[in-house]
Every structure is written in C-alpha cells, then in structure tokens.
Amino acid sequence: VENSPPNTIPWPPIIYVAAVLAGLALHWLAPLPWHGGVAGMIAAAIGLCLLCAGVALEIVTILTFRRHNTTVLPHRGATRLITDGPFAKSRNPIYVGNTMLVVGAGLLFGIGWLLIAAVAAVFTVQKLAIEREERHLATRFGKAWDDYAARTPRWLGRP
C-alpha cells in the first residue's frame, strides 16, 4: 500500500474554508469585542503582514512542489520527499500558510472568531490530514522520512 494516497478526501482546504465560514457566521451572530484605536491599528497591521506572508509562503511552497514534480494535492500520494525550501523549516508549510491567512484576516478585519477558527482548523487538520500524511510518507520513504521528521518541525518551532 506504498503508493496509496494518505486521504480520499482533500481535507485541509475543506477544513480551512469551513473554519472561515464558521468564524464569519459567528461574527455575524455574536461578534466578539475588539480593540479600536492604536491597538486595533497595530492588530490590523500585523494581520496584513500575516496575510502577505501567508500568500507568499503558499506561492513559494506550490512552486517548490512543481520544481520537484510532485503533487500539491493533499489526497494524492507523494512521489517525492521534499526537504528543501519552505520544507526545511516546516513539514507542512501549506497548512502554516493557511493558518497565517485565517489569523491574518481575523486581525486585519477585527474578527476574533477567525482567531478561534484558526486554532480549531489546526487541530482538525492535524487529526484528519497531517497524521495520515505522515504515516503515508513514513511508509513511502522510510528512513529518509524518519530523518527529515526528526530534524524538521511539523508546524514551526522544534521538531
């Protein structure tokens, strides 16, 4: 089952879109208090930076997938183990980018529910996608995966 895909459904994009929609719906139904003034402006500036960084990270990651001639689709089996570019800092740079987009939008537009939705999306993506993807990669790439996973964090920070 070495070539079988990690998932049959492309969970991560569905999860992040659902998280954003839920956050927006909750904001419409019961908006959370938000800081105005200087604190609000600082939050918005940080949010804009996160949005820009998230878009840049996603573009660089997709280009890295293309350069290595393997799929970016989360429900397709990996044909190559990518360890360079953004994958040198995170085993899941697309999901880091997705999270940055949701958090950035929450800060930029003052929607606290999006911050909570981002956290929920991270936990859900890890359970429904990342853990399955990691098992797939371990089966497919063996020791090379083990070595990579030992030195590279799943999200950001320590491995």
Side-chain angles (χ1 to χ4, degrees):
V1 186
E2 183 175 302
N3 291 323
S4 65
N7 291 300
T8 55
I9 298 172
W11 290 113
I14 294 168
I15 291 166
Y16 279 100
V17 168
V20 167
L21 293 175
L24 293 174
L26 287 166
H27 178 69
W28 183 70
L29 293 170
L32 296 174
W34 197 257
H35 296 288
V38 175
M41 290 176 21
I42 291 170
I46 292 169
L48 182 60
C49 290
L50 278 173
L51 277 171
C52 292
V55 167
L57 178 57
E58 300 235 358
I59 290 169
V60 169
T61 303
I62 290 167
L63 292 174
T64 303
F65 274 110
R66 286 192 178 167
R67 190 176 74 242
H68 286 278
N69 198 30
T70 191
T71 185
V72 68
L73 299 175
H75 63 292
R76 301 281 170 93
T79 56
R80 301 215 187 336
L81 179 63
I82 305 173
T83 61
D84 64 337
F87 291 92
K89 300 293 181 194
S90 170
R91 297 194 311 254
N92 297 287
I94 290 267
Y95 307 150
V96 170
N98 289 324
T99 304
M100 291 169 73
L101 293 174
V102 178
V103 170
L107 292 172
L108 179 61
F109 299 112
I111 302 174
W113 285 112
L114 287 179
L115 305 179
I116 296 166
V119 172
V122 163
F123 285 108
T124 307
V125 164
Q126 185 160 320
K127 280 297 179 197
L128 288 180
I130 292 174
E131 291 176 8
R132 292 177 183 180
E133 291 170 4
E134 289 180 346
R135 287 190 297 273
H136 164 76
L137 294 167
T139 299
R140 178 90 169 94
F141 300 107
K143 183 169 174 11
W145 164 258
D146 293 339
D147 293 345
Y148 171 65
R151 72 176 180 271
T152 310
R154 178 180 277 161
W155 290 93
L156 292 173
R158 294 183 178 197

